[in-house]
Amino acid sequence: MDWSSEIACPVAAGSQVSVEWNRNKQGTWEVIPVSHTGPCIVYMATAESKGEGNAWFKIFEEGYDSSSKKWCTDKLIANKGKLDITIPGDIKAGSYFLRTEIVALHGARRV
């Protein structure tokens, strides 16, 4: 697998980045179906690791907010697929991969 890239996004430790999820379903853009509720998780790994093995560490997780009765995916849909996260302030300078995940808990509205 070729891990090289011609595109890099310089980001300083402690700064905020925005990630965006969306998909094209039959010519219509949407973030995720509303029935696919669940948490959003973001990981990083050093580029040196090539993302292999146990290289990933979690920098963000948002699940169910009992005060608003919303999952992270509900907030994501309301924000047109955008999620702002903060890169840890104590991270060493260098090149990293950023991996985002949505865990779709079908039917989780019954929490």
Side-chain angles (χ1 to χ4, degrees), residues 1-68:
M1 182 175 278
D2 181 6
W3 288 92
S4 63
S5 174
E6 294 181 21
I7 300 171
C9 300
V11 178
S15 62
Q16 191 175 60
V17 296
S18 295
V19 294
E20 183 176 343
W21 285 274
N22 57 54
R23 69 183 190 136
N24 186 342
K25 182 181 179 190
Q26 301 170 345
T28 303
W29 287 98
E30 70 176 351
V31 177
I32 187 171
V34 295
S35 63
H36 292 46
T37 55
C40 307
I41 308 163
V42 181
Y43 299 90
M44 290 179 70
T46 63
E48 179 181 274
S49 73
K50 297 183 181 175
E52 297 174 349
N54 213 12
W56 297 95
F57 54 94
K58 188 185 306 183
I59 64 164
F60 176 88
E61 179 177 8
E62 183 176 333
Y64 184 74
D65 181 344
S66 59
S67 64
S68 68

Side-chain angles (χ1 to χ4, degrees), residues 15 62 73 78 96 102:
S15 62
E62 183 176 333
T73 51
Y96 291 85
I102 295 174

